[in-house]
Amino acid sequence: MTANVMVIVERQFDYPRQVVFRAWTAPEEMAQWRGSPGWHVEAETVTSDLRAGGRHHHVKLRDNDPSVRVTTDAVFTEYFEPDVFVARQRITGDPGIDPDRPLELRVEFTKMGRDGTLLRIVQGPYDAEVAGFHSKGWELELGRLQEFLDRTAGGVR
């Protein structure tokens, strides 16, 4: 199999870029929303050194079976707050991802209108057989991000 598919997911949020960027980069915020439904991030595992060359780490657990763990270790290759960050990732524990083949994650935050943010995720390369599954996972996680922002940043609009 050849990993040659990039997953691209976009969603617009009615919150300022700085608010959305912080939800992605502040460990205490990220731990509250990351993970598709049925998964959660183990809060005490989240670490981020927010700069180019800085490291990031988190572990996702399956809610109904905490022995199922997916670990992400990454190094930021670009970091420009609040516009974009890029990380080279090593993901272990996900049967659809070869832990010996690094992924790149690029997350862009584009100002839209007065206080909106267009979020664009580009991640890969994936094998074609699993790319759709991971694209759907990002869509579900962004739904959780929307709920988190509505709950915590509702007055910031």
Side-chain angles (χ1 to χ4, degrees):
M1 289 181 235
T2 302
N4 62 359
V5 177
M6 299 301 285
V7 167
I8 300 171
V9 178
E10 293 182 335
R11 181 177 264 187
Q12 188 164 338
F13 295 93
D14 292 330
Y15 294 97
R17 282 186 313 161
Q18 192 62 43
V19 170
V20 181
F21 192 90
R22 179 171 168 75
W24 269 89
T25 56
E28 66 277 7
E29 292 192 20
M30 194 189 92
Q32 293 182 57
W33 67 269
R34 284 297 310 270
S36 298
W39 291 80
H40 69 279
V41 168
E42 193 172 42
E44 58 273 12
T45 69
V46 182
T47 59
S48 281
D49 180 6
L50 302 175
R51 62 180 177 85
R55 297 192 174 277
H56 170 82
H57 173 85
H58 72 267
V59 177
K60 291 181 188 174
L61 306 176
R62 185 174 287 162
D63 292 345
N64 64 0
D65 183 359
S67 69
V68 179
R69 304 167 62 86
V70 175
T71 301
T72 299
D73 288 294
V75 175
F76 292 109
T77 57
E78 297 178 40
Y79 189 88
F80 300 99
E81 184 175 342
D83 300 310
V84 64
F85 67 81
V86 179
R88 189 147 180 91
Q89 300 176 304
R90 181 173 189 269
I91 299 175
T92 56
D94 184 321
I97 297 176
D98 180 348
D100 295 323
R101 189 179 323 142
L103 296 176
E104 180 176 276
L105 171 67
R106 177 180 186 87
V107 185
E108 301 170 355
F109 305 79
T110 304
K111 181 176 174 55
M112 300 295 289
R114 188 170 179 193
D115 282 323
T117 302
L118 176 66
L119 178 72
R120 184 172 198 250
I121 299 167
V122 180
Q123 187 182 40
Y126 286 102
D127 291 327
E129 297 79 29
V130 299
F133 172 78
H134 288 280
S135 179
K136 178 69 173 170
W138 276 120
E139 292 286 349
L140 294 170
E141 282 198 52
L142 293 181
R144 290 182 74 176
L145 174 58
Q146 180 70 59
E147 293 168 4
F148 171 76
L149 292 169
D150 290 347
R151 191 173 61 250
T152 62
V156 177
R157 295 177 195 231

